[in-house]
Amino acid sequence: MSLPESAPQAIGPAPIAAPATLSIHDGRNGALAALATYTLWGFLPLLFWQVEAAGALMIVAERTVWSLLLLGVILLFRSGYGPVLALFRDRRRALGTLLSAVLLAGNWLLYVWAVETGQVLEVSFGYFINPMVSVAMGMVLLGERQNRLQTVAIVMALVAILIQAIGLGNVPFIALGLALSFGFYGYFRKTAQLGPASGLFVETAMLTPLALGFMIYTFATTGPGIHADPYYLTLLILTGPATAIPLLLFAFAVRRLRLTTMGMFQYLAPSIQFLLAIYVFGEQLNGLRLVSFALIWLSLMVFSYDSFTRRKRPVVAPVA
């Protein structure tokens, strides 16, 4: 799920600001790409649900390998491998990318496991609180200061997490794990200074030896399993495009839309996940959990309103 930080951090480095002058054509195409991006991310649990018999570890391994192959072909015909090779020659950037790759793998594994175990509501909650977690991390790690409305939004999010914990009867580890792994992923991802496609290619390349090793071991000890069924094999292969295509659409959209506009689209994915959890997966939403969702929605409205009004505010030139 990136993105805020107005977009999920788990999808790559901080978004590149859109050009100052945007045509109607650019805005329309950017909006369509953003809509497709977050819609695909929202419905992603359906794909993992279909192949849950493979197990979370196998699904993440397949997702890693097939993403690497697809991104390798894309880089071959687009930007080439120059930035990738340059990264491996820079020890500091390579270490930062390795850390981001580990966080990415952890995020994927937790996400798939949550879908398998029928906890998509908590997945949705995790991606709703992600913007607030990113802001809080900026305060703690980067010394960023927040204004009054942003502080109110963060406090509301903290109360929502507390209410969610009461509704669940325990700490919402999945939601917090997804949000924190997203946030830290973005923090380390920025040090690599790579584009979305090349960055994800390097990360999956670093994870592929482990992924292939696990796949080979599993095949050798338990046989092909659901891979023997062409239908399930096709779905497992599709985990690669399901990872890479939304990423590329996001990169296309973020160059054609203002970041405040992208910020509005990012809530589409967890909203779809929320509806899937209730109406497709049959998860129960008790009163306390509903209150927690209502409060986090309100905090996001406050945060988004503040971002929008600050952007609309005229910039006053400093007095010499």
Side-chain angles (χ1 to χ4, degrees):
M1 67 19 81
S2 2
L3 328 141
E5 294 255 13
S6 56
Q9 286 296 344
I11 50 132
I16 299 172
T21 303
L22 294 167
S23 69
I24 295 176
H25 182 72
D26 284 334
R28 182 188 62 196
N29 289 341
L32 289 174
L35 179 63
T37 298
Y38 290 105
T39 300
L40 289 171
W41 276 329
F43 283 105
L44 194 56
L46 290 176
L47 176 59
F48 297 141
W49 181 49
Q50 286 290 311
V51 294
E52 63 180 354
L57 282 172
M58 180 58 76
I59 294 172
V60 171
E62 299 265 2
R63 187 180 188 183
T64 300
V65 172
W66 296 117
S67 295
L68 177 70
L69 292 175
L70 177 60
L71 290 165
V73 172
I74 291 172
L75 289 180
L76 181 63
F77 290 99
R78 290 188 62 189
S79 57
Y81 295 97
V84 172
L85 296 175
L87 178 136
F88 281 106
R89 289 192 291 265
D90 186 327
R91 182 175 299 179
R92 181 176 177 275
R93 292 173 64 204
L95 178 59
T97 305
L98 178 61
L99 290 172
S100 70
V102 172
L103 287 165
L104 181 65
N107 180 275
W108 284 358
L109 186 60
L110 184 58
Y111 185 107
V112 174
W113 179 79
V115 173
E116 282 186 358
T117 54
Q119 301 181 78
V120 179
L121 269 178
E122 203 171 333
V123 169
S124 170
F125 189 76
Y127 288 124
F128 273 127
I129 67 174
N130 180 65
M132 298 299 105
V133 168
S134 296
V135 171
M137 286 180 62
M139 294 172 62
V140 175
L141 299 177
L142 304 176
E144 297 176 354
R145 294 184 179 181
Q146 309 303 323
N147 61 31
R148 185 175 301 174
L149 278 179
Q150 290 173 331
T151 302
V152 168
I154 292 172
V155 171
M156 292 171 68
L158 291 173
V159 174
I161 293 171
L162 177 61
I163 294 173
Q164 180 86 183
I166 296 172
L168 288 171
N170 54 56
V171 177
F173 290 109
I174 294 173
L176 290 174
L178 290 171
L180 288 171
S181 60
F182 250 28
F184 279 106
Y185 171 86
Y187 180 76
F188 288 111
R189 181 68 167 77
K190 290 177 184 179
T191 64
Q193 299 176 344
L194 285 171
S198 55
L200 186 60
F201 175 83
V202 173
E203 289 161 348
T204 52
M206 289 177 169
L207 296 173
T208 292
L210 285 175
L212 280 176
F214 176 77
M215 291 171 67
I216 293 170
Y217 172 79
T218 302
F219 273 67
T221 55
T222 63
I226 69 170
H227 295 80
D229 187 320
Y231 171 75
Y232 289 111
L233 177 60
T234 300
L235 291 179
L236 287 169
I237 293 173
L238 286 176
T239 60
T243 299
I245 291 174
L247 174 83
L248 299 175
L249 287 170
F250 174 85
F252 178 88
V254 80
R255 284 173 170 80
R256 289 161 177 80
L257 295 176
R258 301 188 186 279
L259 295 185
T260 48
T261 306
M262 288 297 295
M264 297 301 101
F265 277 106
Q266 76 166 318
Y267 306 128
L268 177 61
S271 297
I272 293 172
Q273 293 161 358
F274 177 83
L275 295 174
L276 286 177
I278 296 173
Y279 295 109
V280 177
F281 302 126
E283 295 185 31
Q284 298 299 312
L285 183 66
N286 61 34
L288 278 175
R289 295 191 74 182
L290 180 59
V291 170
S292 72
F293 271 99
L295 193 57
I296 196 64
W297 292 331
L298 183 59
S299 74
L300 290 172
M301 290 173 62
V302 171
F303 184 75
S304 299
Y305 170 78
D306 176 73
S307 299
F308 180 76
T309 54
R310 281 190 297 113
R311 184 189 167 280
K312 298 290 285 185
R313 194 175 299 145
V315 177
V316 179
V319 178

